[in-house]
Amino acid sequence: QVQLVESGGGLVQAGGSLRLSCAASGRTFASYAMGWFRQAPGKEREFVAAISANTYYVAAISANTYYADYLDSVKGRFTISRDNAKNTVFLQMNSLKPEDTAIYYCAASRTIGFTVYGYDYWGQGTQVTVSS
């Protein structure tokens, strides 16, 4: 069982930044891929970003790194990262736009995925509001 608690949401002007955190309980956090999703009023919950549980060697940078992927509309503006020592996953959001307004949820899965299906554990969500 994994319990997830998001924090860091709030009200920000367009062009501003927020950093969301998701703290996980349990000693198996490092074995889970983590995802961020969002749901705006009247819309379905959508994938925002995901990060793998394992690192992979990337020859181009001669280093191990996590695999991460993003919704096209947030690429270059949002960054997902994780700190296994703190059982926490982060979502750094820069250059925010009014269309980013939504409730943001973090989720945990045994395998990395890019839809709501397959994620076994969910947090309660944190509201992000971007004013124009």
Side-chain angles (χ1 to χ4, degrees):
Q1 189 81 6
V2 177
Q3 293 183 328
L4 304 172
V5 179
E6 302 96 335
S7 61
L11 173 64
V12 64
Q13 288 188 330
S17 298
L18 283 174
R19 189 193 196 202
L20 304 184
S21 299
C22 174
S25 65
R27 293 176 288 180
T28 59
F29 173 77
S31 67
Y32 284 88
M34 299 298 296
W36 284 97
F37 294 79
R38 67 187 181 186
Q39 188 165 18
K43 295 187 177 181
E44 293 186 350
R45 191 170 299 188
E46 67 175 353
F47 166 78
V48 175
I51 188 168
S52 62
N54 301 312
T55 59
Y56 300 89
Y57 181 74
V58 179
I61 59 174
S62 301
N64 290 319
T65 187
Y66 293 101
Y67 175 79
D69 203 1
Y70 300 88
L71 177 69
D72 282 348
S73 62
V74 309
K75 285 181 179 178
R77 300 189 297 122
F78 290 11
T79 302
I80 188 171
S81 62
R82 65 189 299 158
D83 185 339
N84 288 343
K86 297 182 178 179
N87 278 14
T88 303
V89 62
F90 304 97
L91 186 68
Q92 178 66 44
M93 305 187 296
N94 300 327
S95 302
L96 282 161
K97 304 175 181 181
E99 51 264 43
D100 295 319
T101 295
I103 299 174
Y104 283 70
Y105 300 88
C106 72
S109 174
R110 285 296 189 182
T111 56
I112 193 169
F114 313 109
T115 72
V116 298
Y117 306 105
Y119 279 84
D120 304 303
Y121 304 102
W122 292 82
Q124 83 291 346
T126 185
Q127 176 71 47
V128 171
T129 303
V130 185
S131 63
S132 57

